[in-house]
């Protein structure tokens, strides 16, 4: 389809009525557009407004479907994997072994596995879930069960006082009831039941500023004996792509290990986007964790899935985390074939240099050119955020429509908002996280279109 085409009246009416039936999660009117096709990083989007009359716009996608489609739309590797899986792999659950599951786990964690240097088969084991939220729920369950003796139905000796989980201001770990207490923003928590540490086996969640070494040192010096776990995003996503200072993550891991505190890395968003598969890394190599949860890119844009990688000594009571979705063969086939393609093509490693080019373009063409609209760029690899000014944040809906009419699809994150310890307020932030298949020419075109839409938005204000 091209920009000169339009939907039939029948399809236009079907999309409008279907949109009214679909649950609106955002608390604001939904975008008046619908995707009707796509290939690579291009999307064919229908304008559903009365004046648009179903006209088709061809957009460049900077979001990769909430950061999930590392190979874009319609990639031949994914198509082949799906055909093979449907025809050959069966549909068994985790109660039975699976050749496809065994092949995937050996490829990742076996003696010559691509992640064996980080997660050895002797020390870790793996489970699959439907989504990032479900993966984080399982991680939380592993944390809570680590202090519980399921056979005697009481605390493990020496773990009775471990009643606190440390999280970070601005974090996003998922929307389920178990995860909402990990979010410090009142909007997500007020009106919902919270955790009660006064009850038997109760637990409380406390929050400190992310990336602030002084806050981390102060907290551990006064609360380490009560800490059960720390849950951290190596790069905060919904907070606005906040990157911690050098050495911060390793210092956090060292403190956790020294005090017997479990360290959980939420890499659902960061997986594959930082120039390495795992953002829990620094110049000295992998930063050790007890539990790591990955997702988004893992499903190659066609499956919603996540993976929980946990130390072998961590476990749960019998049948406590059984899931229909635990590494089903079709899921394993797509993951294995997709990751093999990423490794052969060095797409993850090359995204590091790609990110440097992206940073230069964004700084020059957006932040410095439109200081009344954008205040700052942050990020690495194919995960960058462009923070709005307070003035433009108040008109975010107008900005997004202007960008779409300029031919580019972008998503916006909430920002960290108000933070303690003198750290500044973080406004909503535009996320630029294109698929790994994006070329430099396409990237330049994306930034040009964002600049064009921004100019239109600024002129209208």
């Amino acid at each position: 389809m091209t920009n000169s085409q339009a939907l039939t009246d029948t399809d236009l009416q079907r999309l409008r009525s279907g949109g009214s039936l679909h649950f609106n999660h955002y608390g604001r009117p939904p975008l008046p557009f619908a995707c009707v096709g796509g290939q690579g990083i291009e999307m064919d989007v229908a304008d559903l407004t009365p004046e648009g009359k179903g006209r088709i716009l061809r957009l460049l996608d900077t979001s990769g479907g909430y950061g999930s489609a590392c190979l874009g739309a319609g990639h031949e590797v994914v198509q082949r994997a799906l055909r093979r899986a449907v025809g050959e792999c069966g549909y068994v659950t985790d109660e039975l072994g699976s050749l496809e599951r065994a092949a995937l786990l050996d490829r990742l964690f076996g003696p010559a596995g691509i992640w064996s240097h980080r997660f050895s088969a002797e020390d870790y084991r793996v489970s699959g879930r439907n989504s990032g939220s479900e993966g984080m729920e399982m991680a939380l369950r592993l944390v809570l069960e680590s202090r519980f003796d399921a056979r005697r139905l009481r605390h493990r000796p020496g773990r009775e006082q471990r009643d606190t989980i440390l999280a970070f201001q601005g974090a996003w770990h998922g929307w389920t009831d178990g995860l909402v207490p990990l979010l410090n923003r009142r909007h997500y928590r007020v009106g919902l039941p919270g955790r009660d540490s006064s009850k038997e086996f109760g637990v409380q969640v406390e929050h400190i500023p992310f990336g602030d070494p002084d806050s981390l040192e102060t907290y551990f010096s006064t609360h380490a004996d009560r800490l059960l776990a720390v849950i951290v995003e190596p790069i905060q996503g919904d907070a606005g792509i906040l990157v911690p200072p050098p050495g911060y993550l390793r210092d956090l891991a060292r403190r956790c290990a020294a005090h017997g505190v479990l360290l959980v890395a939420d890499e659902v968003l960061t997986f594959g986007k930082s120039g390495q598969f795992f953002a829990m890394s620094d110049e000295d190599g992998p930063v050790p964790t007890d539990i790591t949860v990955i997702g988004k890119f893992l499903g190659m844009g066609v499956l919603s899935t996540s993976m929980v990688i946990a130390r072998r000594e961590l476990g749960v009571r019998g049948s406590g985390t059984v899931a229909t979705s635990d590494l089903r063969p079709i899921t394993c086939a797509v993951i294995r074939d997709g990751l093999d393609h990423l490794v052969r093509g060095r797409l993850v490693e090359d995204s590091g240099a790609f990110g440097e080019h992206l940073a230069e373009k964004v700084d020059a063409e957006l932040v410095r050119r439109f200081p009344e609209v954008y205040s700052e760029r942050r990020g690495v690899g194919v995960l960058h955020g462009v923070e709005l000014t307070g003035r433009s944040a108040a008109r975010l809906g107008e900005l997004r429509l202007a960008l779409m009419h300029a031919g580019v699809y972008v998503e916006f994150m909430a920002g960290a908002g108000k933070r303690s310890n003198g750290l500044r307020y973080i406004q909503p932030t535009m996320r630029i996280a294109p698929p790994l298949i994006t070329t430099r020419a396409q990237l330049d075109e994306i930034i040009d279109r964002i600049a064009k839409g921004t100019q239109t938005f600024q002129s209208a204000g």
Side-chain angles (χ1 to χ4, degrees):
M1 292 186 177
T2 68
N3 286 9
S4 62
Q5 294 180 303
L7 293 178
T8 65
D9 290 342
T10 299
D11 285 342
L12 182 58
Q13 180 56 39
R14 180 179 291 122
L15 281 170
R16 286 172 174 165
S17 61
S20 69
L21 289 168
H22 187 213
F23 194 99
N24 179 9
H25 296 273
Y26 296 98
R28 62 176 184 269
L31 288 170
F33 298 93
C35 183
V36 294
Q39 184 68 38
I41 72 163
E42 293 185 332
M43 304 168 60
D44 290 323
V45 174
D47 186 339
L48 305 183
T49 62
E51 58 273 18
K53 299 180 179 179
R55 181 171 63 97
I56 304 299
L57 307 175
R58 177 155 289 174
L59 310 183
L60 292 177
D61 176 26
T62 71
S63 75
Y66 278 165
S68 67
C70 60
L71 296 179
H75 199 282
E76 60 181 3
V77 168
V78 176
Q79 292 187 47
R80 287 198 302 267
L82 287 169
R83 286 194 295 268
R84 178 172 64 82
V86 171
E88 303 174 10
C89 295
Y91 55 84
V92 298
T93 60
D94 65 337
E95 191 173 26
L96 293 177
S98 158
L99 277 175
E100 198 63 43
R101 184 187 307 130
L104 171 64
L105 296 180
D106 181 69
R107 180 71 177 100
L108 298 182
F109 307 102
I114 60 177
W115 299 338
S116 59
H117 67 291
R118 177 183 288 266
F119 305 110
S120 70
E122 293 77 19
D123 297 325
Y124 290 88
R125 53 185 173 173
V126 184
S127 181
R129 303 285 108 169
N130 269 319
S131 65
S133 289
E134 286 189 34
M136 288 304 299
E137 277 279 357
M138 181 170 179
L140 183 60
R141 175 67 68 84
L142 289 168
V143 164
L144 296 175
E145 299 247 16
S146 72
R147 62 177 186 161
F148 182 69
D149 186 330
R151 187 166 67 89
R152 295 181 175 84
L153 301 181
R154 63 190 186 195
H155 278 102
R156 293 183 186 275
R159 306 294 283 180
E160 295 87 353
Q161 300 303 312
R162 300 283 184 157
D163 64 354
T164 303
I165 295 173
L166 179 63
F168 293 89
Q169 295 170 7
W172 174 263
H173 298 294
W175 61 270
T176 60
D177 284 355
L179 300 176
V180 166
L182 300 176
L183 317 180
N184 75 300
R185 285 169 285 188
R186 186 174 184 272
H187 168 78
Y188 295 119
R189 297 170 58 182
V190 67
L192 300 175
R195 297 188 176 277
D196 187 350
S197 60
S198 66
K199 295 182 179 179
E200 187 179 20
F201 306 116
V203 67
Q204 63 183 349
V205 179
E206 296 186 345
H207 300 85
I208 62 173
F210 176 72
D212 182 38
D214 292 340
S215 297
L216 187 64
E217 180 180 6
T218 299
Y219 190 89
F220 266 84
S221 67
T222 55
H223 297 85
D225 60 330
R226 302 295 296 270
L227 266 181
L228 177 62
V230 177
I231 299 179
V232 65
E233 300 163 272
I235 299 171
Q236 280 198 324
D238 197 58
I241 312 300
L242 301 185
V243 182
Y248 181 82
L249 296 174
R250 190 164 296 276
D251 181 48
L252 172 60
R254 180 186 61 79
R255 292 179 186 277
C256 287
H259 293 282
V261 178
L262 295 176
L263 179 57
V264 180
D266 178 350
E267 294 234 30
V268 173
L269 175 63
T270 53
F271 174 69
K273 297 182 177 69
S274 66
Q276 302 182 63
F277 276 112
F278 298 92
M280 285 293 288
S281 306
D282 60 18
E283 59 184 10
D284 294 324
V287 173
T289 60
D290 298 291
I291 305 171
T292 297
V293 182
I294 58 177
K296 299 290 189 186
F297 268 4
L298 189 67
M300 305 294 146
V302 296
L303 298 173
S304 177
T305 188
S306 63
M307 188 179 287
V308 183
I309 309 165
R311 292 196 183 275
R312 284 187 171 271
E313 59 267 28
L314 298 174
V316 296
R317 66 200 70 186
S319 300
T321 51
V322 170
T324 307
S325 59
D326 190 351
L327 296 178
R328 297 285 288 269
I330 191 169
T331 304
C332 293
V334 170
I335 294 173
R336 181 161 67 99
D337 289 10
L339 290 179
D340 276 343
H341 180 73
L342 297 186
V343 171
R344 286 194 304 269
R346 293 185 55 83
L347 294 182
V348 173
E349 293 89 342
D350 289 349
S351 70
F354 185 92
E356 294 175 4
H357 180 65
L358 173 58
E360 293 172 359
K361 289 285 292 185
V362 170
D363 286 340
E365 302 298 328
L366 300 180
V367 178
R368 292 198 290 271
R369 184 177 171 188
F370 301 104
E372 293 185 359
V373 180
Y374 306 113
S375 64
E376 184 176 273
R377 177 208 53 81
R378 299 176 293 267
V380 296
V382 291
L383 183 58
H384 286 253
V386 190
E387 186 181 347
L388 303 183
T389 63
R391 181 178 178 183
S392 61
R395 300 171 55 208
L396 191 155
E398 297 173 51
L399 173 60
R400 195 171 192 191
L401 290 178
L403 295 176
M404 294 188 74
H405 285 295
V408 63
Y409 179 75
V410 297
E411 294 168 348
F412 287 83
M413 298 164 294
K418 185 178 180 181
R419 299 180 294 168
S420 64
N421 209 36
L423 299 177
R424 73 172 181 85
Y425 190 98
I426 298 292
Q427 299 283 356
T429 300
M430 179 171 63
R431 181 169 66 198
I432 302 179
L436 292 175
I437 62 168
T438 306
T439 66
R440 287 207 176 195
Q442 288 173 323
L443 174 64
D444 291 345
E445 179 65 21
I446 284 171
I447 303 305
D448 288 345
R449 293 188 187 189
I450 293 176
K452 178 182 177 182
T454 304
Q455 182 65 65
T456 301
F457 165 78
Q458 185 169 263
S459 298

